[in-house]
Amino acid sequence: GAVVSQHPSWVICKSGTSVKIECRSLDFQATTMFWYRQFPKQSLMLMATSNEGSKATYEQGVEKDKFLINHASLTLSTLTVTSAHPEDSSFYICSARDLRGPQVPQHFGDGTRLSIL
Amino acid sequence: GDSVTQMEGPVTLSEEAFLTINCTYTATGYPSLFWYVQYPGEGLQLLLKATKADDKGSNKGFEATYRKETTSFHLEKGSVQVSDSAVYFCALSRNAGGTSYGKLTFGQGTILTVHP
């Protein structure tokens, strides 16, 4: 089945550091990937839609300069949390949409737990 | 806009009990409907899906039927196991074009705990 790999799975770093999270589709091409943020015991909040070869589309209230998204190939999207602070600590999850359309579900990575000290 | 409402949890059951998690939705057109499951510390896994009215999705003993007349997609399982303990998310995806194409709208999630 379709697999999405997300790396790293867990990162702890000091305040002010920039952190990059990778999302790879391993056995299919994904022109569109999605980045979500999940707070403890809450649902997923869509942050942005990452489109291969073009700028990401951010949801309302998400800071573009804080959360930089790059989707340079059909199998890789990256999320960089710039100058991270404790309030950015969260569980970040990516998903990749199969090219065959929305009736084929998105495939999710296992998430990245980010802790900023 | 689109929205998904799930029954509030947490839900606590004994092993072999019957499970129902209610899910209703609001959307224009004819969305696809999904149930995802999230085990502790992990991402989401697709549990089942239905793409049109009256479709029944099923997997691992779980079932859900797409009811357009009641805009519902309730999740059921006849006999739960301890290993079913997880968070369950109901979601919809637009099938038409436009800016919402392919995006998933999630319900708030329902925590299920099954005791031996």
Side-chain angles (χ1 to χ4, degrees), chain A residues 34 36 38 43-44 46 49 59 91 93 97 101-103 105-106 108-110, chain B residues 32 34 36 38 42-44 46 89 93-95 101-104 106-108:
Chain A
F34 300 90
Y36 298 86
Q38 186 180 32
S43 189
L44 281 73
L46 179 64
T49 302
E59 297 299 303
F91 192 54
I93 304 176
R97 199 182 84 201
Q103 293 188 3
Q106 294 178 23
F108 285 82
D110 282 339
Chain B
S32 291
F34 307 91
Y36 282 88
Q38 184 179 33
E42 297 183 12
L44 272 66
L46 177 68
F89 291 95
S93 177
R94 286 274 193 92
N95 292 327
Y101 185 72
K103 289 185 183 179
L104 280 171
F106 286 95
Q108 65 269 42

PDB file of all heavy atoms in Angstrom, chain A residues 34 36 38 43-44 46 49 59 91 93 97 101-103 105-106 108-110, chain B residues 32 34 36 38 42-44 46 89 93-95 101-104 106-108:
ATOM      1  N   PHE A  34      -0.222  17.866   2.369  1.00  0.00           N
ATOM      2  CA  PHE A  34      -0.861  18.712   3.362  1.00  0.00           C
ATOM      3  C   PHE A  34      -0.079  18.646   4.674  1.00  0.00           C
ATOM      4  O   PHE A  34       0.434  17.591   5.044  1.00  0.00           O
ATOM      5  CB  PHE A  34      -2.300  18.245   3.622  1.00  0.00           C
ATOM      6  CG  PHE A  34      -3.180  18.264   2.396  1.00  0.00           C
ATOM      7  CD1 PHE A  34      -3.262  17.157   1.588  1.00  0.00           C
ATOM      8  CD2 PHE A  34      -3.914  19.393   2.072  1.00  0.00           C
ATOM      9  CE1 PHE A  34      -4.067  17.154   0.455  1.00  0.00           C
ATOM     10  CE2 PHE A  34      -4.728  19.403   0.949  1.00  0.00           C
ATOM     11  CZ  PHE A  34      -4.807  18.294   0.134  1.00  0.00           C
ATOM     12  N   TYR A  36      -0.453  19.352   8.784  1.00  0.00           N
ATOM     13  CA  TYR A  36      -1.397  19.531   9.874  1.00  0.00           C
ATOM     14  C   TYR A  36      -0.643  19.725  11.193  1.00  0.00           C
ATOM     15  O   TYR A  36       0.474  19.265  11.368  1.00  0.00           O
ATOM     16  CB  TYR A  36      -2.289  18.293  10.035  1.00  0.00           C
ATOM     17  CG  TYR A  36      -3.162  17.960   8.857  1.00  0.00           C
ATOM     18  CD1 TYR A  36      -2.680  17.186   7.808  1.00  0.00           C
ATOM     19  CD2 TYR A  36      -4.476  18.405   8.800  1.00  0.00           C
ATOM     20  CE1 TYR A  36      -3.484  16.863   6.736  1.00  0.00           C
ATOM     21  CE2 TYR A  36      -5.293  18.082   7.720  1.00  0.00           C
ATOM     22  CZ  TYR A  36      -4.792  17.304   6.703  1.00  0.00           C
ATOM     23  OH  TYR A  36      -5.593  16.984   5.639  1.00  0.00           O
ATOM     24  N   GLN A  38      -1.428  19.183  15.375  1.00  0.00           N
ATOM     25  CA  GLN A  38      -2.357  18.578  16.318  1.00  0.00           C
ATOM     26  C   GLN A  38      -1.917  18.866  17.740  1.00  0.00           C
ATOM     27  O   GLN A  38      -0.801  18.533  18.136  1.00  0.00           O
ATOM     28  CB  GLN A  38      -2.431  17.065  16.089  1.00  0.00           C
ATOM     29  CG  GLN A  38      -3.479  16.367  16.942  1.00  0.00           C
ATOM     30  CD  GLN A  38      -3.539  14.879  16.690  1.00  0.00           C
ATOM     31  OE1 GLN A  38      -2.531  14.249  16.373  1.00  0.00           O
ATOM     32  NE2 GLN A  38      -4.720  14.300  16.819  1.00  0.00           N
ATOM     33  N   SER A  43      -8.217  17.649  17.546  1.00  0.00           N
ATOM     34  CA  SER A  43      -8.238  17.189  16.164  1.00  0.00           C
ATOM     35  C   SER A  43      -7.084  17.799  15.380  1.00  0.00           C
ATOM     36  O   SER A  43      -6.301  18.593  15.906  1.00  0.00           O
ATOM     37  CB  SER A  43      -9.572  17.569  15.524  1.00  0.00           C
ATOM     38  OG  SER A  43      -9.702  16.951  14.260  1.00  0.00           O
ATOM     39  N   LEU A  44      -7.003  17.426  14.122  1.00  0.00           N
ATOM     40  CA  LEU A  44      -5.958  17.961  13.265  1.00  0.00           C
ATOM     41  C   LEU A  44      -6.389  19.305  12.696  1.00  0.00           C
ATOM     42  O   LEU A  44      -7.514  19.468  12.220  1.00  0.00           O
ATOM     43  CB  LEU A  44      -5.675  17.003  12.107  1.00  0.00           C
ATOM     44  CG  LEU A  44      -4.819  15.792  12.413  1.00  0.00           C
ATOM     45  CD1 LEU A  44      -5.588  14.779  13.238  1.00  0.00           C
ATOM     46  CD2 LEU A  44      -4.321  15.156  11.133  1.00  0.00           C
ATOM     47  N   LEU A  46      -5.540  21.891   9.754  1.00  0.00           N
ATOM     48  CA  LEU A  46      -4.805  22.047   8.515  1.00  0.00           C
ATOM     49  C   LEU A  46      -4.051  23.373   8.541  1.00  0.00           C
ATOM     50  O   LEU A  46      -4.643  24.425   8.777  1.00  0.00           O
ATOM     51  CB  LEU A  46      -5.760  22.013   7.313  1.00  0.00           C
ATOM     52  CG  LEU A  46      -5.114  22.191   5.938  1.00  0.00           C
ATOM     53  CD1 LEU A  46      -4.167  21.033   5.634  1.00  0.00           C
ATOM     54  CD2 LEU A  46      -6.182  22.322   4.863  1.00  0.00           C
ATOM     55  N   THR A  49      -1.485  23.782   2.359  1.00  0.00           N
ATOM     56  CA  THR A  49      -1.477  22.824   1.260  1.00  0.00           C
ATOM     57  C   THR A  49      -0.221  23.087   0.438  1.00  0.00           C
ATOM     58  O   THR A  49       0.014  24.221  -0.013  1.00  0.00           O
ATOM     59  CB  THR A  49      -2.724  22.997   0.385  1.00  0.00           C
ATOM     60  OG1 THR A  49      -3.884  22.835   1.204  1.00  0.00           O
ATOM     61  CG2 THR A  49      -2.738  21.983  -0.746  1.00  0.00           C
ATOM     62  N   GLU A  59      -3.557  28.246   5.379  1.00  0.00           N
ATOM     63  CA  GLU A  59      -4.864  28.487   5.976  1.00  0.00           C
ATOM     64  C   GLU A  59      -4.831  29.794   6.755  1.00  0.00           C
ATOM     65  O   GLU A  59      -3.768  30.279   7.164  1.00  0.00           O
ATOM     66  CB  GLU A  59      -5.254  27.328   6.887  1.00  0.00           C
ATOM     67  CG  GLU A  59      -5.416  26.008   6.160  1.00  0.00           C
ATOM     68  CD  GLU A  59      -6.502  26.038   5.109  1.00  0.00           C
ATOM     69  OE1 GLU A  59      -7.669  26.358   5.456  1.00  0.00           O
ATOM     70  OE2 GLU A  59      -6.199  25.762   3.934  1.00  0.00           O
ATOM     71  N   PHE A  91       2.477  18.412  17.713  1.00  0.00           N
ATOM     72  CA  PHE A  91       2.616  17.220  16.882  1.00  0.00           C
ATOM     73  C   PHE A  91       2.247  17.637  15.461  1.00  0.00           C
ATOM     74  O   PHE A  91       1.145  18.111  15.219  1.00  0.00           O
ATOM     75  CB  PHE A  91       1.679  16.121  17.404  1.00  0.00           C
ATOM     76  CG  PHE A  91       1.924  14.759  16.838  1.00  0.00           C
ATOM     77  CD1 PHE A  91       3.182  14.170  16.904  1.00  0.00           C
ATOM     78  CD2 PHE A  91       0.895  14.038  16.262  1.00  0.00           C
ATOM     79  CE1 PHE A  91       3.412  12.893  16.400  1.00  0.00           C
ATOM     80  CE2 PHE A  91       1.110  12.755  15.746  1.00  0.00           C
ATOM     81  CZ  PHE A  91       2.374  12.188  15.820  1.00  0.00           C
ATOM     82  N   ILE A  93       1.831  16.652  11.458  1.00  0.00           N
ATOM     83  CA  ILE A  93       1.557  15.489  10.620  1.00  0.00           C
ATOM     84  C   ILE A  93       1.427  15.941   9.173  1.00  0.00           C
ATOM     85  O   ILE A  93       0.762  16.949   8.896  1.00  0.00           O
ATOM     86  CB  ILE A  93       0.255  14.773  11.034  1.00  0.00           C
ATOM     87  CG1 ILE A  93       0.296  14.379  12.515  1.00  0.00           C
ATOM     88  CG2 ILE A  93       0.021  13.531  10.180  1.00  0.00           C
ATOM     89  CD1 ILE A  93      -1.008  13.766  13.004  1.00  0.00           C
ATOM     90  N   ARG A  97      -1.569  13.377  -1.138  1.00  0.00           N
ATOM     91  CA  ARG A  97      -2.770  13.002  -1.877  1.00  0.00           C
ATOM     92  C   ARG A  97      -2.378  12.266  -3.139  1.00  0.00           C
ATOM     93  O   ARG A  97      -1.566  12.752  -3.915  1.00  0.00           O
ATOM     94  CB  ARG A  97      -3.582  14.241  -2.233  1.00  0.00           C
ATOM     95  CG  ARG A  97      -5.025  13.936  -2.588  1.00  0.00           C
ATOM     96  CD  ARG A  97      -5.754  15.182  -2.984  1.00  0.00           C
ATOM     97  NE  ARG A  97      -5.530  15.486  -4.386  1.00  0.00           N
ATOM     98  CZ  ARG A  97      -5.706  16.691  -4.916  1.00  0.00           C
ATOM     99  NH1 ARG A  97      -6.040  17.688  -4.163  1.00  0.00           N
ATOM    100  NH2 ARG A  97      -5.500  16.884  -6.200  1.00  0.00           N
ATOM    101  N   GLY A 101      -7.049  11.380  -7.234  1.00  0.00           N
ATOM    102  CA  GLY A 101      -8.160  12.242  -6.869  1.00  0.00           C
ATOM    103  C   GLY A 101      -8.631  12.080  -5.446  1.00  0.00           C
ATOM    104  O   GLY A 101      -8.151  11.234  -4.708  1.00  0.00           O
ATOM    105  N   PRO A 102      -9.601  12.888  -5.029  1.00  0.00           N
ATOM    106  CA  PRO A 102     -10.014  12.923  -3.618  1.00  0.00           C
ATOM    107  C   PRO A 102     -10.759  11.687  -3.177  1.00  0.00           C
ATOM    108  O   PRO A 102     -10.906  11.452  -1.990  1.00  0.00           O
ATOM    109  CB  PRO A 102     -10.902  14.163  -3.556  1.00  0.00           C
ATOM    110  CG  PRO A 102     -11.428  14.319  -4.938  1.00  0.00           C
ATOM    111  CD  PRO A 102     -10.329  13.867  -5.839  1.00  0.00           C
ATOM    112  N   GLN A 103     -11.273  10.889  -4.071  1.00  0.00           N
ATOM    113  CA  GLN A 103     -11.945   9.672  -3.648  1.00  0.00           C
ATOM    114  C   GLN A 103     -10.941   8.642  -3.171  1.00  0.00           C
ATOM    115  O   GLN A 103     -11.288   7.716  -2.444  1.00  0.00           O
ATOM    116  CB  GLN A 103     -12.793   9.096  -4.786  1.00  0.00           C
ATOM    117  CG  GLN A 103     -13.961   9.981  -5.158  1.00  0.00           C
ATOM    118  CD  GLN A 103     -14.893   9.316  -6.151  1.00  0.00           C
ATOM    119  OE1 GLN A 103     -14.693   8.171  -6.511  1.00  0.00           O
ATOM    120  NE2 GLN A 103     -15.907  10.015  -6.600  1.00  0.00           N
ATOM    121  N   PRO A 105      -8.109   8.197  -0.681  1.00  0.00           N
ATOM    122  CA  PRO A 105      -7.820   8.985   0.515  1.00  0.00           C
ATOM    123  C   PRO A 105      -6.384   9.451   0.602  1.00  0.00           C
ATOM    124  O   PRO A 105      -5.502   8.902  -0.027  1.00  0.00           O
ATOM    125  CB  PRO A 105      -8.135   8.012   1.647  1.00  0.00           C
ATOM    126  CG  PRO A 105      -7.930   6.670   1.052  1.00  0.00           C
ATOM    127  CD  PRO A 105      -8.375   6.797  -0.374  1.00  0.00           C
ATOM    128  N   GLN A 106      -6.180  10.474   1.380  1.00  0.00           N
ATOM    129  CA  GLN A 106      -4.840  10.925   1.686  1.00  0.00           C
ATOM    130  C   GLN A 106      -4.134   9.862   2.528  1.00  0.00           C
ATOM    131  O   GLN A 106      -4.751   9.165   3.319  1.00  0.00           O
ATOM    132  CB  GLN A 106      -4.889  12.236   2.470  1.00  0.00           C
ATOM    133  CG  GLN A 106      -5.440  13.397   1.678  1.00  0.00           C
ATOM    134  CD  GLN A 106      -5.518  14.644   2.522  1.00  0.00           C
ATOM    135  OE1 GLN A 106      -4.806  14.788   3.511  1.00  0.00           O
ATOM    136  NE2 GLN A 106      -6.393  15.550   2.147  1.00  0.00           N
ATOM    137  N   PHE A 108      -1.168   9.296   5.320  1.00  0.00           N
ATOM    138  CA  PHE A 108      -0.558  10.107   6.362  1.00  0.00           C
ATOM    139  C   PHE A 108       0.792   9.559   6.803  1.00  0.00           C
ATOM    140  O   PHE A 108       1.012   8.334   6.838  1.00  0.00           O
ATOM    141  CB  PHE A 108      -1.483  10.167   7.576  1.00  0.00           C
ATOM    142  CG  PHE A 108      -2.656  11.074   7.380  1.00  0.00           C
ATOM    143  CD1 PHE A 108      -3.774  10.631   6.699  1.00  0.00           C
ATOM    144  CD2 PHE A 108      -2.635  12.372   7.863  1.00  0.00           C
ATOM    145  CE1 PHE A 108      -4.864  11.470   6.499  1.00  0.00           C
ATOM    146  CE2 PHE A 108      -3.714  13.221   7.665  1.00  0.00           C
ATOM    147  CZ  PHE A 108      -4.825  12.772   6.981  1.00  0.00           C
ATOM    148  N   GLY A 109       1.676  10.481   7.143  1.00  0.00           N
ATOM    149  CA  GLY A 109       2.905  10.106   7.812  1.00  0.00           C
ATOM    150  C   GLY A 109       2.627   9.818   9.277  1.00  0.00           C
ATOM    151  O   GLY A 109       1.509  10.031   9.758  1.00  0.00           O
ATOM    152  N   ASP A 110       3.654   9.361   9.987  1.00  0.00           N
ATOM    153  CA  ASP A 110       3.490   9.006  11.394  1.00  0.00           C
ATOM    154  C   ASP A 110       3.641  10.192  12.329  1.00  0.00           C
ATOM    155  O   ASP A 110       3.530  10.035  13.551  1.00  0.00           O
ATOM    156  CB  ASP A 110       4.496   7.922  11.782  1.00  0.00           C
ATOM    157  CG  ASP A 110       4.066   6.551  11.293  1.00  0.00           C
ATOM    158  OD1 ASP A 110       2.856   6.381  11.035  1.00  0.00           O
ATOM    159  OD2 ASP A 110       4.919   5.670  11.161  1.00  0.00           O
TER     160      ASP A 110
ATOM    161  N   SER B  32     -16.866  12.675  -0.308  1.00  0.00           N
ATOM    162  CA  SER B  32     -16.455  11.345   0.119  1.00  0.00           C
ATOM    163  C   SER B  32     -16.285  11.384   1.632  1.00  0.00           C
ATOM    164  O   SER B  32     -15.894  12.406   2.198  1.00  0.00           O
ATOM    165  CB  SER B  32     -15.134  10.952  -0.545  1.00  0.00           C
ATOM    166  OG  SER B  32     -15.301  10.754  -1.929  1.00  0.00           O
ATOM    167  N   PHE B  34     -14.841   9.434   5.283  1.00  0.00           N
ATOM    168  CA  PHE B  34     -13.779   8.547   5.754  1.00  0.00           C
ATOM    169  C   PHE B  34     -13.843   8.415   7.275  1.00  0.00           C
ATOM    170  O   PHE B  34     -14.282   9.314   7.979  1.00  0.00           O
ATOM    171  CB  PHE B  34     -12.398   9.121   5.396  1.00  0.00           C
ATOM    172  CG  PHE B  34     -12.218   9.470   3.945  1.00  0.00           C
ATOM    173  CD1 PHE B  34     -12.509  10.742   3.482  1.00  0.00           C
ATOM    174  CD2 PHE B  34     -11.747   8.528   3.050  1.00  0.00           C
ATOM    175  CE1 PHE B  34     -12.337  11.071   2.138  1.00  0.00           C
ATOM    176  CE2 PHE B  34     -11.575   8.849   1.708  1.00  0.00           C
ATOM    177  CZ  PHE B  34     -11.874  10.122   1.259  1.00  0.00           C
ATOM    178  N   TYR B  36     -10.794   7.611  10.017  1.00  0.00           N
ATOM    179  CA  TYR B  36      -9.375   7.376  10.268  1.00  0.00           C
ATOM    180  C   TYR B  36      -9.198   6.997  11.730  1.00  0.00           C
ATOM    181  O   TYR B  36      -9.964   7.410  12.602  1.00  0.00           O
ATOM    182  CB  TYR B  36      -8.560   8.643   9.998  1.00  0.00           C
ATOM    183  CG  TYR B  36      -8.301   8.921   8.527  1.00  0.00           C
ATOM    184  CD1 TYR B  36      -9.213   9.653   7.774  1.00  0.00           C
ATOM    185  CD2 TYR B  36      -7.149   8.454   7.901  1.00  0.00           C
ATOM    186  CE1 TYR B  36      -8.964   9.913   6.430  1.00  0.00           C
ATOM    187  CE2 TYR B  36      -6.891   8.713   6.565  1.00  0.00           C
ATOM    188  CZ  TYR B  36      -7.817   9.439   5.836  1.00  0.00           C
ATOM    189  OH  TYR B  36      -7.576   9.684   4.508  1.00  0.00           O
ATOM    190  N   GLN B  38      -6.194   6.764  14.896  1.00  0.00           N
ATOM    191  CA  GLN B  38      -4.865   7.202  15.333  1.00  0.00           C
ATOM    192  C   GLN B  38      -4.512   6.497  16.629  1.00  0.00           C
ATOM    193  O   GLN B  38      -5.168   6.692  17.654  1.00  0.00           O
ATOM    194  CB  GLN B  38      -4.837   8.720  15.532  1.00  0.00           C
ATOM    195  CG  GLN B  38      -3.458   9.256  15.893  1.00  0.00           C
ATOM    196  CD  GLN B  38      -3.446  10.761  16.070  1.00  0.00           C
ATOM    197  OE1 GLN B  38      -4.415  11.358  16.504  1.00  0.00           O
ATOM    198  NE2 GLN B  38      -2.338  11.395  15.722  1.00  0.00           N
ATOM    199  N   GLU B  42       1.187   8.069  16.994  1.00  0.00           N
ATOM    200  CA  GLU B  42       1.321   7.762  15.570  1.00  0.00           C
ATOM    201  C   GLU B  42       0.496   8.712  14.719  1.00  0.00           C
ATOM    202  O   GLU B  42      -0.317   9.494  15.223  1.00  0.00           O
ATOM    203  CB  GLU B  42       0.888   6.321  15.303  1.00  0.00           C
ATOM    204  CG  GLU B  42       1.750   5.274  16.010  1.00  0.00           C
ATOM    205  CD  GLU B  42       1.333   3.869  15.648  1.00  0.00           C
ATOM    206  OE1 GLU B  42       0.553   3.680  14.705  1.00  0.00           O
ATOM    207  OE2 GLU B  42       1.809   2.940  16.328  1.00  0.00           O
ATOM    208  N   GLY B  43       0.693   8.614  13.398  1.00  0.00           N
ATOM    209  CA  GLY B  43      -0.134   9.375  12.471  1.00  0.00           C
ATOM    210  C   GLY B  43      -1.479   8.693  12.274  1.00  0.00           C
ATOM    211  O   GLY B  43      -1.854   7.795  13.027  1.00  0.00           O
ATOM    212  N   LEU B  44      -2.190   9.113  11.252  1.00  0.00           N
ATOM    213  CA  LEU B  44      -3.520   8.578  11.004  1.00  0.00           C
ATOM    214  C   LEU B  44      -3.478   7.438   9.995  1.00  0.00           C
ATOM    215  O   LEU B  44      -2.719   7.483   9.024  1.00  0.00           O
ATOM    216  CB  LEU B  44      -4.440   9.676  10.462  1.00  0.00           C
ATOM    217  CG  LEU B  44      -5.185  10.506  11.501  1.00  0.00           C
ATOM    218  CD1 LEU B  44      -4.212  11.322  12.323  1.00  0.00           C
ATOM    219  CD2 LEU B  44      -6.215  11.386  10.826  1.00  0.00           C
ATOM    220  N   LEU B  46      -6.076   5.118   7.509  1.00  0.00           N
ATOM    221  CA  LEU B  46      -7.425   5.002   6.987  1.00  0.00           C
ATOM    222  C   LEU B  46      -8.052   3.719   7.499  1.00  0.00           C
ATOM    223  O   LEU B  46      -7.476   2.628   7.374  1.00  0.00           O
ATOM    224  CB  LEU B  46      -7.408   4.988   5.461  1.00  0.00           C
ATOM    225  CG  LEU B  46      -8.771   4.787   4.804  1.00  0.00           C
ATOM    226  CD1 LEU B  46      -9.658   6.004   5.060  1.00  0.00           C
ATOM    227  CD2 LEU B  46      -8.616   4.552   3.304  1.00  0.00           C
ATOM    228  N   PHE B  89     -11.322   9.395  13.977  1.00  0.00           N
ATOM    229  CA  PHE B  89     -11.685  10.656  13.337  1.00  0.00           C
ATOM    230  C   PHE B  89     -12.586  10.384  12.140  1.00  0.00           C
ATOM    231  O   PHE B  89     -12.238   9.584  11.269  1.00  0.00           O
ATOM    232  CB  PHE B  89     -10.442  11.398  12.844  1.00  0.00           C
ATOM    233  CG  PHE B  89      -9.556  11.933  13.930  1.00  0.00           C
ATOM    234  CD1 PHE B  89      -8.463  11.201  14.370  1.00  0.00           C
ATOM    235  CD2 PHE B  89      -9.803  13.163  14.499  1.00  0.00           C
ATOM    236  CE1 PHE B  89      -7.634  11.684  15.362  1.00  0.00           C
ATOM    237  CE2 PHE B  89      -8.982  13.661  15.502  1.00  0.00           C
ATOM    238  CZ  PHE B  89      -7.898  12.919  15.936  1.00  0.00           C
ATOM    239  N   SER B  93     -14.175  14.738   2.313  1.00  0.00           N
ATOM    240  CA  SER B  93     -13.360  15.357   1.274  1.00  0.00           C
ATOM    241  C   SER B  93     -14.258  15.725   0.114  1.00  0.00           C
ATOM    242  O   SER B  93     -15.098  14.925  -0.306  1.00  0.00           O
ATOM    243  CB  SER B  93     -12.269  14.390   0.810  1.00  0.00           C
ATOM    244  OG  SER B  93     -11.519  14.950  -0.251  1.00  0.00           O
ATOM    245  N   ARG B  94     -14.074  16.952  -0.384  1.00  0.00           N
ATOM    246  CA  ARG B  94     -14.855  17.400  -1.531  1.00  0.00           C
ATOM    247  C   ARG B  94     -14.432  16.649  -2.785  1.00  0.00           C
ATOM    248  O   ARG B  94     -13.244  16.433  -3.018  1.00  0.00           O
ATOM    249  CB  ARG B  94     -14.628  18.895  -1.767  1.00  0.00           C
ATOM    250  CG  ARG B  94     -15.293  19.792  -0.785  1.00  0.00           C
ATOM    251  CD  ARG B  94     -16.730  20.100  -1.170  1.00  0.00           C
ATOM    252  NE  ARG B  94     -17.256  21.192  -0.378  1.00  0.00           N
ATOM    253  CZ  ARG B  94     -17.195  22.456  -0.769  1.00  0.00           C
ATOM    254  NH1 ARG B  94     -16.681  22.773  -1.934  1.00  0.00           N
ATOM    255  NH2 ARG B  94     -17.685  23.398   0.003  1.00  0.00           N
ATOM    256  N   ASN B  95     -15.407  16.293  -3.582  1.00  0.00           N
ATOM    257  CA  ASN B  95     -15.093  15.609  -4.829  1.00  0.00           C
ATOM    258  C   ASN B  95     -15.034  16.548  -6.020  1.00  0.00           C
ATOM    259  O   ASN B  95     -14.518  16.202  -7.067  1.00  0.00           O
ATOM    260  CB  ASN B  95     -16.129  14.515  -5.109  1.00  0.00           C
ATOM    261  CG  ASN B  95     -16.028  13.392  -4.127  1.00  0.00           C
ATOM    262  OD1 ASN B  95     -14.950  13.063  -3.646  1.00  0.00           O
ATOM    263  ND2 ASN B  95     -17.159  12.795  -3.796  1.00  0.00           N
ATOM    264  N   TYR B 101     -10.792  21.363  -3.078  1.00  0.00           N
ATOM    265  CA  TYR B 101     -10.587  20.067  -3.713  1.00  0.00           C
ATOM    266  C   TYR B 101      -9.516  19.253  -3.018  1.00  0.00           C
ATOM    267  O   TYR B 101      -8.375  19.688  -2.898  1.00  0.00           O
ATOM    268  CB  TYR B 101     -10.200  20.298  -5.165  1.00  0.00           C
ATOM    269  CG  TYR B 101     -10.070  19.046  -5.996  1.00  0.00           C
ATOM    270  CD1 TYR B 101     -11.204  18.336  -6.370  1.00  0.00           C
ATOM    271  CD2 TYR B 101      -8.835  18.580  -6.409  1.00  0.00           C
ATOM    272  CE1 TYR B 101     -11.107  17.210  -7.146  1.00  0.00           C
ATOM    273  CE2 TYR B 101      -8.724  17.449  -7.185  1.00  0.00           C
ATOM    274  CZ  TYR B 101      -9.856  16.758  -7.554  1.00  0.00           C
ATOM    275  OH  TYR B 101      -9.752  15.637  -8.327  1.00  0.00           O
ATOM    276  N   GLY B 102      -9.908  18.055  -2.579  1.00  0.00           N
ATOM    277  CA  GLY B 102      -8.941  17.159  -1.977  1.00  0.00           C
ATOM    278  C   GLY B 102      -8.661  17.406  -0.517  1.00  0.00           C
ATOM    279  O   GLY B 102      -8.070  16.571   0.145  1.00  0.00           O
ATOM    280  N   LYS B 103      -9.062  18.531   0.035  1.00  0.00           N
ATOM    281  CA  LYS B 103      -8.799  18.784   1.448  1.00  0.00           C
ATOM    282  C   LYS B 103      -9.704  17.924   2.303  1.00  0.00           C
ATOM    283  O   LYS B 103     -10.851  17.685   1.992  1.00  0.00           O
ATOM    284  CB  LYS B 103      -9.069  20.247   1.794  1.00  0.00           C
ATOM    285  CG  LYS B 103      -8.095  21.238   1.245  1.00  0.00           C
ATOM    286  CD  LYS B 103      -8.440  22.631   1.775  1.00  0.00           C
ATOM    287  CE  LYS B 103      -7.525  23.672   1.195  1.00  0.00           C
ATOM    288  NZ  LYS B 103      -7.874  25.019   1.680  1.00  0.00           N
ATOM    289  N   LEU B 104      -9.150  17.491   3.411  1.00  0.00           N
ATOM    290  CA  LEU B 104      -9.931  16.733   4.384  1.00  0.00           C
ATOM    291  C   LEU B 104     -10.412  17.667   5.489  1.00  0.00           C
ATOM    292  O   LEU B 104      -9.626  18.449   6.015  1.00  0.00           O
ATOM    293  CB  LEU B 104      -9.094  15.613   4.998  1.00  0.00           C
ATOM    294  CG  LEU B 104      -8.925  14.343   4.177  1.00  0.00           C
ATOM    295  CD1 LEU B 104      -7.904  13.425   4.825  1.00  0.00           C
ATOM    296  CD2 LEU B 104     -10.260  13.620   4.041  1.00  0.00           C
ATOM    297  N   PHE B 106     -11.886  17.384   9.210  1.00  0.00           N
ATOM    298  CA  PHE B 106     -11.972  16.380  10.273  1.00  0.00           C
ATOM    299  C   PHE B 106     -12.985  16.761  11.333  1.00  0.00           C
ATOM    300  O   PHE B 106     -13.188  17.941  11.640  1.00  0.00           O
ATOM    301  CB  PHE B 106     -10.608  16.223  10.959  1.00  0.00           C
ATOM    302  CG  PHE B 106      -9.595  15.483  10.142  1.00  0.00           C
ATOM    303  CD1 PHE B 106      -8.693  16.184   9.348  1.00  0.00           C
ATOM    304  CD2 PHE B 106      -9.532  14.110  10.176  1.00  0.00           C
ATOM    305  CE1 PHE B 106      -7.750  15.507   8.595  1.00  0.00           C
ATOM    306  CE2 PHE B 106      -8.585  13.425   9.435  1.00  0.00           C
ATOM    307  CZ  PHE B 106      -7.702  14.126   8.637  1.00  0.00           C
ATOM    308  N   GLY B 107     -13.577  15.734  11.930  1.00  0.00           N
ATOM    309  CA  GLY B 107     -14.299  15.921  13.170  1.00  0.00           C
ATOM    310  C   GLY B 107     -13.298  16.059  14.304  1.00  0.00           C
ATOM    311  O   GLY B 107     -12.085  15.956  14.106  1.00  0.00           O
ATOM    312  N   GLN B 108     -13.813  16.257  15.502  1.00  0.00           N
ATOM    313  CA  GLN B 108     -12.935  16.558  16.630  1.00  0.00           C
ATOM    314  C   GLN B 108     -12.248  15.328  17.210  1.00  0.00           C
ATOM    315  O   GLN B 108     -11.357  15.456  18.043  1.00  0.00           O
ATOM    316  CB  GLN B 108     -13.715  17.278  17.737  1.00  0.00           C
ATOM    317  CG  GLN B 108     -14.817  16.453  18.394  1.00  0.00           C
ATOM    318  CD  GLN B 108     -16.156  16.639  17.691  1.00  0.00           C
ATOM    319  OE1 GLN B 108     -16.232  16.674  16.465  1.00  0.00           O
ATOM    320  NE2 GLN B 108     -17.210  16.760  18.470  1.00  0.00           N
TER     321      GLN B 108
END
